[in-house]
Amino acid sequence: MPIPEDVTGEEIDKDVRQELQSLPKTLADDVARNLVMVARLLDEDPEAAYGYSKVALRLASRVAAVREAGGFAAYANQKYGEALAEFRAARRMTGTVDLWPVMADCERGLGRPEKALDMAGAPEVQKLDKAGQVEMRLVAAGARRDMGQLDAAIVTLQSPELASNSVQPWTARLRYAYADALLAAGREREAREWFAKAVESDRDGSTDASDRLAELDGVEFTDALDESEGDGENGEVNPSAEDGGRD
């Protein structure tokens, strides 16, 4: 697959670069450049990222970072069985538990929420850092919802991290998941409160909490550039949002 000339491979994390030192230099550079493309395209073009990950795997399947990248690329393309296999391989190579939550989420993707819940109660979870433990809690709540256990999902998300007023990288997603579970359970007033809290903490736009909040408030957005609908008889432009009633 073509790689832009400005991609040198030096862009990758230094720890990954160190892993690649076990390879001949020319091969290490080729693998590094493909890994850069995986990271660059994973969100905007997962299919292309997957293609680059397959190249890297073909070149250096015995490197843990390559197996991990392959796992995330497969995961982004909903190839959960393949992703799980790659994550397991990376974990065997490194001996770390960092991938435990995403491995559990792969089990959900494969239609095995019970297995994801078993993993949520495993000793490995205690070895995760705070971010990993929060991620595991999100996966466990999702598994509960997969099984139709809405109340249990809500209880799973109730935690010191949810109650904390400090904003951490995981705060917006945790509050959003809690609001979404409340809404699914028919607790609309509480859901609105938590969607609002998610908006306050979502500094990088990682959720669509603002849109969900607007939906609950009955706000409808129209295209301000659509003159055929926006111009009134007296040449006045209608507001871009109208307040409607709640359901």
Side-chain angles (χ1 to χ4, degrees):
M1 297 181 67
I3 297 178
E5 292 184 3
D6 66 317
V7 174
T8 65
E10 295 295 332
E11 302 89 341
I12 62 173
D13 184 87
K14 64 179 181 179
D15 291 336
V16 177
R17 171 60 71 176
Q18 187 170 359
E19 279 192 64
L20 295 178
Q21 287 181 355
S22 62
L23 304 173
K25 186 178 187 311
T26 301
L27 179 58
D29 289 342
D30 287 344
V31 174
R33 295 179 72 212
N34 278 281
L35 292 181
V36 170
M37 294 306 295
V38 174
R40 180 178 290 186
L41 296 171
L42 194 60
D43 292 330
E44 63 185 58
D45 191 348
E47 189 173 349
Y50 178 74
Y52 285 105
S53 76
K54 298 301 283 186
V55 174
L57 282 165
R58 188 168 64 248
L59 295 173
S61 62
R62 296 184 180 182
V63 176
V66 173
R67 303 302 289 266
E68 183 175 331
F72 278 110
Y75 179 82
N77 284 275
Q78 300 183 1
K79 299 178 184 291
Y80 298 116
E82 183 177 337
L84 185 57
E86 297 298 346
F87 289 142
R88 283 174 173 167
R91 182 168 179 263
R92 284 195 300 270
M93 292 175 178
T94 62
T96 65
V97 298
D98 296 350
L99 296 170
W100 196 254
V102 71
M103 289 168 62
D105 206 39
C106 285
E107 295 288 0
R108 285 185 61 210
L110 291 168
R112 302 192 293 244
E114 298 89 350
K115 177 62 175 174
L117 286 176
D118 287 344
M119 293 180 69
E124 285 82 353
V125 176
Q126 301 307 314
K127 301 175 184 178
L128 294 168
D129 61 14
K130 181 62 67 176
Q133 289 180 7
V134 170
E135 195 65 35
M136 193 71 247
R137 189 177 292 276
L138 288 167
V139 173
R144 291 292 185 189
R145 291 189 64 170
D146 294 342
M147 299 166 67
Q149 301 173 1
L150 284 173
D151 289 341
I154 290 169
V155 171
T156 298
L157 293 168
Q158 292 171 345
S159 60
E161 293 80 20
L162 180 68
S164 174
N165 290 323
S166 67
V167 175
Q168 302 295 334
W170 60 76
T171 302
R173 291 178 58 239
L174 184 59
R175 290 176 176 179
Y176 182 96
Y178 188 58
D180 194 47
L182 288 168
L183 188 60
R187 295 161 62 175
E188 184 175 315
R189 182 176 297 177
E190 293 171 88
R192 190 205 176 282
E193 175 187 347
W194 282 97
F195 275 127
K197 290 183 178 181
V199 171
E200 292 173 0
S201 57
D202 193 357
R203 295 169 177 172
D204 59 359
S206 61
T207 74
D208 65 347
S210 59
D211 293 339
R212 299 294 299 279
L213 185 61
E215 275 183 33
L216 287 174
D217 287 343
V219 177
E220 297 181 3
F221 296 96
T222 59
D223 190 345
L225 299 178
D226 189 348
E227 295 182 0
S228 62
E229 294 180 5
D231 290 345
E233 291 183 1
N234 297 322
E236 297 178 354
V237 179
N238 293 331
S240 60
E242 296 177 355
D243 292 333
R246 292 186 182 176
D247 294 335

